[in-house]
Amino acid sequence: MFEVGIIGAILIVSSHSASGFTPASRQRSASSLHRHDRTTVLNAIPPPHNNNNNNNKNKNELHLLTFDLDDTIFPIGPVVADANVAQLQTLIKYGYENAANEEIIAASKQIRSELREAGNSITYTDLRKQSIRREIERLTGSSRSERVVHDSVIEAIFDAWLSERHASADRNLFPYTSTALESIRQEHPGAVIGAITNGRGNPLEMPSVASYFDFCVSGEDDGVFPRRKPDKGIYEAAVRTYNAMQGGSIIQENDIGFNWIHVGDDLANDVGASAACGAKSIWFTMESDELSELPSWSTATQEELQRRATMDEMAREHVSAKICSLEELPGAIVKVLSR
């Protein structure tokens, strides 16, 4: 999903995209891992095997498989559209009957513009919460300094949005998502499967696929933000999570026995960024994706769009495999591992 300079999975009228919701029983929290000293990605990867014989013997073994979420396992448009309905319903519940998503989008763009001028960044969560607050200020005619609404109301409205985002994502999974994951689990029983996302999606909150995933790292996690895709920081965090799950072993740069594949729809954020961290990439793209127009809720500047186009072109050379349906994913993994 296009995440740089846009609100992505934050706001749309009818449509990038932190975890923080990963059950403790399934993983150590990503934030607890970020206290470790930062190392290069290759130096942080734990070895599944420690000698050349094992590396040769297990050349085709998959160790780590990571997924982008928005527009990779579900379409972000209808998911955020459903979440926005829940958001409006909750605003109405609190008495704000004239609330409008169009106004919330306008507020979010204004906030991003203000932050851009100041050279500051913001999480998608805080951007949405601030946009909700500004919409309430618009409806009540109050100024920002008056703080006419309690934080608990903003939290309740946001939580309604987030809960429906997860529920809708679960309902709107792309065809073959669950069957592909089941097949991968059967064919690669030793693989760790994780999600790497810039926004608030979390497969561990989606009943249809939760059992297939071992962890989720978000660009909003402590120790990651603001180093979200295409920055290497978020991928380094995912490797640290894997590293902790394997007992904290360290691999050397010349150890080629570690097989990591990342699956995503975005050339720059997923293909290029993961390749820079040592992963092989599988680009998931539907036929219409490359021709899609910029969404109306985007806050990207022309400079950002031009930079993105350059990054996309540079990332194409790092595509290890291209699929147009998740039905093709298990076979693509086998082909990538066999090279």
Side-chain angles (χ1 to χ4, degrees):
M1 182 65 184
F2 190 103
E3 298 275 5
V4 175
I6 64 173
I7 338 172
I10 294 303
L11 298 160
I12 57 178
V13 178
S14 62
S15 156
H16 172 304
S17 288
S19 59
F21 295 84
T22 303
S25 61
R26 293 187 61 88
Q27 69 166 84
R28 290 176 57 184
S29 68
S31 60
S32 69
L33 301 173
H34 299 148
R35 293 192 295 268
H36 296 196
D37 291 338
R38 283 193 180 274
T39 60
T40 64
V41 171
L42 287 175
N43 284 334
I45 298 174
H49 310 289
N50 295 318
N51 58 64
N52 291 333
N53 289 335
N54 280 338
N55 284 340
N56 292 332
K57 180 179 178 180
N58 296 280
K59 177 181 177 182
N60 297 333
E61 180 180 353
L62 177 64
H63 303 121
L64 175 61
L65 176 66
T66 53
F67 287 84
D68 172 55
L69 296 177
D70 299 353
D71 285 336
T72 294
I73 70 169
F74 56 80
I76 191 57
V79 167
V80 178
D82 288 348
N84 283 348
V85 170
Q87 175 179 263
L88 285 177
Q89 290 175 339
T90 309
L91 278 161
I92 292 171
K93 173 185 174 182
Y94 280 97
Y96 304 109
E97 297 183 355
N98 294 321
N101 272 325
E102 294 87 346
E103 296 293 338
I104 297 175
I105 293 171
S108 71
K109 291 184 176 182
Q110 179 61 35
I111 293 168
R112 284 295 301 272
S113 177
E114 294 167 1
L115 289 170
R116 188 181 290 117
E117 291 178 3
N120 296 325
S121 57
I122 189 172
T123 66
Y124 296 129
T125 294
D126 287 342
L127 177 59
R128 178 167 287 277
K129 289 179 180 179
Q130 289 188 29
S131 300
I132 292 171
R133 183 177 293 279
R134 288 202 185 182
E135 173 63 353
I136 292 175
E137 291 168 353
R138 181 188 72 84
L139 293 168
T140 59
S142 59
S143 65
R144 296 177 205 169
S145 61
E146 293 181 69
R147 304 287 288 186
V148 296
V149 59
H150 195 273
D151 288 345
S152 62
V153 175
I154 303 297
E155 291 294 332
I157 296 168
F158 175 79
D159 288 346
W161 178 88
L162 183 60
S163 178
E164 179 56 24
R165 188 193 199 282
H166 289 138
S168 179
D170 196 57
R171 294 193 303 268
N172 287 283
L173 289 169
F174 281 132
Y176 306 107
T177 298
S178 295
T179 55
L181 287 166
E182 176 65 27
S183 177
I184 292 166
R185 275 295 187 200
Q186 292 179 1
E187 296 174 10
H188 309 278
V192 171
I193 300 179
I196 303 176
T197 180
N198 274 355
R200 293 306 304 258
N202 189 339
L204 298 176
E205 296 294 326
M206 299 162 57
S208 297
V209 296
S211 63
Y212 300 113
F213 283 85
D214 298 301
F215 69 87
C216 179
V217 171
S218 167
E220 303 205 347
D221 288 342
D222 292 338
V224 177
F225 181 80
R227 298 188 66 194
R228 52 195 175 199
K229 302 176 188 177
D231 192 283
K232 293 171 62 175
I234 191 170
Y235 288 98
E236 292 172 349
V239 172
R240 288 197 300 272
T241 301
Y242 174 87
N243 184 48
M245 295 175 68
Q246 300 299 307
S249 300
I250 303 297
I251 195 172
Q252 300 302 315
E253 290 189 27
N254 59 357
D255 192 328
I256 60 173
F258 181 76
N259 289 321
W260 172 19
I261 294 177
H262 180 70
V263 184
D265 71 297
D266 192 289
L267 280 167
N269 283 356
D270 295 310
V271 174
S274 67
C277 294
K280 297 176 182 178
S281 61
I282 295 179
W283 182 30
F284 171 59
T285 176
M286 295 183 178
E287 293 182 359
S288 60
D289 283 355
E290 297 183 69
L291 302 176
S292 59
E293 296 181 359
L294 191 68
S296 61
W297 36 264
S298 170
T299 61
T301 64
Q302 285 301 314
E303 180 182 355
E304 289 171 334
L305 292 175
Q306 292 173 1
R307 184 166 62 249
R308 164 56 60 119
T310 299
M311 294 172 65
D312 283 349
E313 285 304 312
M314 293 175 61
R316 288 180 183 274
E317 65 179 281
H318 298 293
V319 175
S320 299
K322 177 181 175 180
I323 60 174
C324 296
S325 167
L326 292 177
E327 184 180 23
E328 305 170 55
L329 181 57
I333 290 173
V334 171
K335 290 180 180 179
V336 170
L337 291 173
S338 65
R339 293 174 183 167

